[in-house]
């Protein structure tokens, strides 16, 4: 069996659309793929030529940062809760960093301004590129 269970599309930081990825996966003979977008969940309901497992890749920190892959057969409220919790934590961390930047550089910048600039609901290090 040929699987790829760690794929990013343009939904997060990938360079290729989901439709293009599915087409290529089928051409290469894959039987199953999983879109594990960074910190967001947009399920693919089904496809008639390839099995798709819905997932998320969360950025996590314990003693050091790492990525946590999570797979979900069906969407439910627990996924929404996890994403909201992640975004709240991310925004809390971002607010602490912005406070330090404001102090060090004597500027006035807010998380809300950054979210408007990047057109995002939460800001991560990926948004600075």
């Amino acid at each position: 069996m040929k699987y790829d269970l760690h794929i990013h599309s343009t939904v997060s930081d990938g360079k290729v659309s989901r439709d293009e990825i599915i087409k290529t996966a089928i051409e290469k003979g894959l039987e199953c793929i999983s879109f594990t977008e960074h910190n967001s969940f947009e399920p693919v309901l089904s496809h008639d030529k390839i099995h798709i497992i819905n997932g998320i890749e969360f950025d996590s920190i314990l003693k050091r940062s790492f990525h946590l892959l999570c797979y979900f057969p069906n969407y439910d409220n627990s996924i929404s809760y996890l994403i909201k919790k992640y975004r709240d934590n991310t925004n809390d961390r971002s607010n602490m960093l912005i406070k330090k930047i404001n102090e060090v550089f004597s500027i006035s910048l807010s998380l809300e301004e950054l979210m408007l600039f990047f057109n995002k609901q939460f800001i991560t290090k990926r948004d600075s590129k």
Side-chain angles (χ1 to χ4, degrees):
M1 296 183 150
K2 292 170 114 180
Y3 286 59
D4 187 342
L5 301 179
H6 186 184
I7 300 174
H8 302 291
S9 71
T10 52
V11 169
S12 63
D13 64 344
K15 305 287 185 233
V16 182
S17 74
R18 286 182 165 193
D19 288 338
E20 292 175 76
I21 290 168
I22 291 169
K23 180 179 177 233
T24 301
I26 292 168
E27 288 170 358
K28 292 190 179 277
L30 273 75
E31 297 171 47
C32 178
I33 61 173
S34 180
F35 292 104
T36 52
E37 309 295 355
H38 285 283
N39 311 305
S40 63
F41 186 78
E42 290 190 27
V44 176
L45 299 177
S46 67
H47 196 279
D48 59 343
K49 294 185 180 178
I50 191 167
H51 184 70
I52 299 173
I53 299 171
N54 294 300
I56 301 174
E57 181 176 354
F58 282 112
D59 295 333
S60 304
I61 297 176
L62 286 176
K63 292 185 179 187
R64 63 184 189 101
S65 66
F66 64 95
H67 295 163
L68 177 65
L69 294 170
C70 303
Y71 301 96
F72 303 98
N74 300 306
Y75 184 85
D76 64 30
N77 289 335
S78 64
I79 298 167
S80 295
Y81 173 79
L82 288 172
I83 292 170
K84 182 184 181 328
K85 195 77 170 151
Y86 170 82
R87 290 180 179 174
D88 290 346
N89 289 339
T90 298
N91 284 340
D92 289 347
R93 241 183 3 250
S94 295
N95 271 322
M96 289 183 340
L97 290 170
I98 290 167
K99 182 179 177 188
K100 284 192 178 268
I101 290 169
N102 287 340
E103 290 170 2
V104 170
F105 295 101
S106 299
I107 62 174
S108 178
L109 179 66
S110 72
L111 180 59
E112 291 75 20
E113 290 170 318
L114 286 176
M115 291 190 305
L116 278 172
F117 178 80
F118 288 110
N119 194 26
K120 301 275 185 168
Q121 294 178 1
F122 65 104
I123 301 294
T124 70
K125 63 183 178 183
R126 294 182 203 300
D127 298 315
S128 62
K129 295 176 182 170

